[in-house]
Amino acid sequence: SDTSASQNPQKNQNIRDPPPTPIQPSEFPDWAYNSKGFFRFELIHQSSKSQAPVGRIHTPHGLIDTPDYVAAATNATLKGVYFVEADKTGQQLIFSTTYHFIGKSWWYL
């Protein structure tokens, strides 16, 4: 018998199965690649020296000028800033994800 499991019966009670393996791009349905018109990139200027583009991303929620500074709220880096205060900085886009759970024993949550 397994003595470690009998000594600590709660050890494995909170473990969840890991997420399923993501599907490969070749498995996506054909309709997934058709443009829906929700998003589009408008090229305004391209540098003749570096080929760096200046443009505008059109989204259902508004415009995003590029290049631009994008605040990254991943790993709780904006945890001490209220959204209203962050909005006053003129940000057009803020990356805010739950990425900080990855690799930190998230299945024990």
Side-chain angles (χ1 to χ4, degrees), residues 7 13-14 25 33 35 44 47 50-53 60 64 66 72 75 92 96 106:
Q7 291 174 354
Q13 286 183 345
N14 293 328
Y33 293 99
S35 176
I44 295 172
S47 169
S50 69
Q51 301 302 309
I64 303 166
T66 66
N75 219 359
Q92 293 179 311
S96 180
W106 56 268

Side-chain angles (χ1 to χ4, degrees), residues 45-66:
H45 176 76
Q46 189 160 17
S47 169
S48 58
K49 183 175 181 180
S50 69
Q51 301 302 309
V54 174
R56 184 171 288 137
I57 301 170
H58 296 259
T59 77
H61 299 282
L63 301 174
I64 303 166
D65 294 315
T66 66

Side-chain angles (χ1 to χ4, degrees), residues 11-38:
K11 181 177 181 181
N12 294 324
Q13 286 183 345
N14 293 328
I15 295 177
R16 295 184 183 161
D17 291 333
T21 304
I23 64 172
Q24 296 300 312
S26 61
E27 298 176 65
F28 290 166
D30 290 337
W31 58 262
Y33 293 99
N34 296 335
S35 176
K36 304 289 189 280
F38 301 135

